Amino acid sequence: MGTAAQAVAYERKGDIAVLKAQNPPVNALGQAVRQGLIEGIAKAEDEGAKAVLIYGDGTTYFAGADIREFGKPPLEPYLPDVCNRIEASPLIVVSAMHGTALGGGLEIALSTHYRIAVPKARMGLPEVHLGLIPGAAGTQRLPRLIGVEKALDIMTTGRQIGAEEALSLGVIDRVTEGTPEEIGLAYAEELIASNAPRRPVSEMPAPEPIDWDATYEAVLKRGRGQISPAMCVRAVQGACELPFDEGVANERRIFRELMETDQRQGMIHAFFAERAVGKLPELKGVEPRPLAAIAVIGGGTMGSGIATSALMAGLSVTMLEMSPEAAAKAKDRIAGNLSGALKRGKIDQAGFDRLTEQALTLTTSYDDLGQADLVIEAVYEEMEVKKEVFRKLDAVAMPGAVLATNTSYLDVNEIAAVTARPEDVLGLHFFSPAHVMKLLEIVVADRTAPEVLATGFALGKRMGKVSVRAGVCDGFIGNRILSHYRSAADHMILDGASPYQIDAALEAFGFAMGPYAVADLAGLDIGWAVRKRRRAEGLDPRARDSTYADRLCEAGHFGQKTGKGYYDYAAGAKARVPNPEVEPLIEADRAAQGITPRAFTDDEIVRRYMAAMVNEAARVVGEGIARRPLDVDVTLLYGYGFPRYRGGPLKWADMEGLPGLLEDIRGYARQDDYFWQPAPLLEKLVAEGKTFEDLNKEAAG
Ligand code: COA
């Protein structure tokens, strides 16, 4: 960013001083912008302008404070002072908003006297997603403007609202089509002509109070351990109970405290990590291949979810199934998914009709796949079946088509090798339900061409996914690590913990669901198949194994889909209760293995589980399966319910301290030195006094 005058251009249009922010790409409120705003207001006053118009150049009004400055010593002028300076101006100050007015951006708008926006503008206070609260009097001004409850809804969820909703809530005064400059100037002229008064929100009466403690507790509970949404409640309480200036000071104190937390660090890490995953050196300057029509082979839950996601992204989809009956079922599944989108208002009826009738074609013939730019296979997870599909695909796909497998652990090199074009083959590992889950692992085989990888990322972007590059290994990044930490949990069960204690301890840590509740949701047959395969391949004699879960499956209990698994779902998925058949099976397994059970504390459960996760993640990074630690973090955040406020397992490990974790692992190895072999990368980092974040930085260059 350049000087203040460059960051905020000043221009007079008659009586109106126009301040145009110029800080691409999102007009973040960095130091020069803040300085530029103060100087612009002062100049307008000195020159005797009657009104000031503030808007953003390019695609957006201010999208927020400059997140890159967070955690560093703050630079003057501070944002709250800039807001106060704007509001205190004797001139009429108008904001014209387009794009996304977020966080500090909306706080600037709230300190101007009038707000107008284009219909497509969006706004919000997303600070909670960064582990913070609004810190430039947003918690004081917004409730004065729209009342406590509506303001708290916006702040505690961090959700974005559209211009129409903002208008009806009273956040803004007017919505008009046009460029921000046009609509802002017209509005300011009108305000001058009608002698409109200044309208400082801080001078509005304090809002009506609510039951603060009850609301605080409810918000805390909803956040599953995340503190910042609940602290919004305390800041807004200050707006009701304290004079404006003291309320601002109270907000500032809370903001500063949160700035020092691990949660803030974790969430800001997540923010930048999810933007860094797609930045790969091999993709620099590489153009993706064209993508308009795709084909999906296999219309089960996964294939239908992928097709739904592609249709929603505006692609045309040909779905191949084995028989007309199976094709009809696939169509029903897709239509079912799309009707969910219709209900939630994501598409309208005309869109629904177009997607199901025109954009989607069902077929039972491979010959109909010849026009597809990209084909994704989502058939049964069996190597021979996949190879057969790829042989057929190789015969019919047009030259240059990208051929993708949705396998979740099979060797993509082996699949690619049955085609005459292995450079066109890659893995696209979606997570179920594929039209909902945001994670996409893009698996690069030995011979995958860079533009094929780029096309995978382009597809992910169009579908609104967070795409992570992964190398080939059993389970890629996510499932490989999952398999390891799940084993650590299984070992704890053998040694005396219950699945329910483990789930509860990990849910208290912040996971959306504990591992056994997840297993029930995914289907216990999946793990059963993996165990059978691994046993058939030959387990290392030192590896611990357990059979209680096999007994559950043999009895027909596959989890939620059969009504019973680790839990009993008779009263519904949310009202899960432990299945009483499970404990005796575990006890029998322990007895057969001669294990005397012992008690585990919740802390020990979390510690062992996380140590296993971090250790395997370190191997995954060390072997180059994941390029950087942040790729692991994003995978676990988006595919495995890892609590975002902890940043991801490797960010968590950094904050926890790698030497202590390594020491724990060495301690566990005294009981089981096969499972608990320290990852060489972890040992190296500890020896060199480095962190995973250092590796992220080295990779960024
Ligand atoms: N401060 C610093 N950099 C920011 C930023 C901010 N507030 N918001 C976005 N950026 C950067 C991104 O890191 C990205 O940089 P890169 O190109 O080097 O990766 C670039 O701006 C574009 O952002 P991106 O998210 O890729 O674009 P988008 O068009 O999908 O989304 C936003 C734009 C503004 C909606 C989104 O970036 C966002 O939500 N930003 C955070 C807003 C926020 O939380 N503000 C409150 C802070 S008080």
Side-chain angles (χ1 to χ4, degrees), residues 115 127 177 201 532 549 659 675:
R115 287 163 291 282
E127 284 85 347
E177 197 79 65
V201 176
K532 283 196 255 188
F675 183 81

Side-chain angles (χ1 to χ4, degrees), residues 25-26 28 63-68 100 102-104 126-127 130 271-272 275 279:
V26 297
D66 188 338
I67 301 171
R68 287 170 213 277
T100 42
L102 300 176
E127 284 85 347
L130 303 173
F271 178 87
F272 286 116
R275 284 163 177 77
K279 289 181 187 146

Side-chain angles (χ1 to χ4, degrees), residues 279-286 444 450-451 453-454 457 469 627:
K279 289 181 187 146
L280 298 173
E282 69 261 44
L283 292 186
K284 259 208 188 112
V286 177
V444 187
E451 67 273 17
L453 176 61
F457 272 94
R469 177 203 181 279
R627 270 285 168 71

Side-chain angles (χ1 to χ4, degrees), residues 19 44 80 174 255 310 388 400 456 471 512 520 589:
L19 308 190
R174 201 178 273 194
F255 181 85
E388 190 50 34
D520 272 359
D589 208 351

Side-chain angles (χ1 to χ4, degrees), residues 374-392:
L374 182 145
V375 186
I376 305 173
E377 155 287 304
V379 302
Y380 190 64
E381 188 77 351
E382 176 88 49
M383 183 54 96
E384 283 316 311
V385 181
K386 305 254 184 204
K387 280 184 177 170
E388 190 50 34
V389 166
F390 271 79
R391 277 190 203 102
K392 287 186 185 156

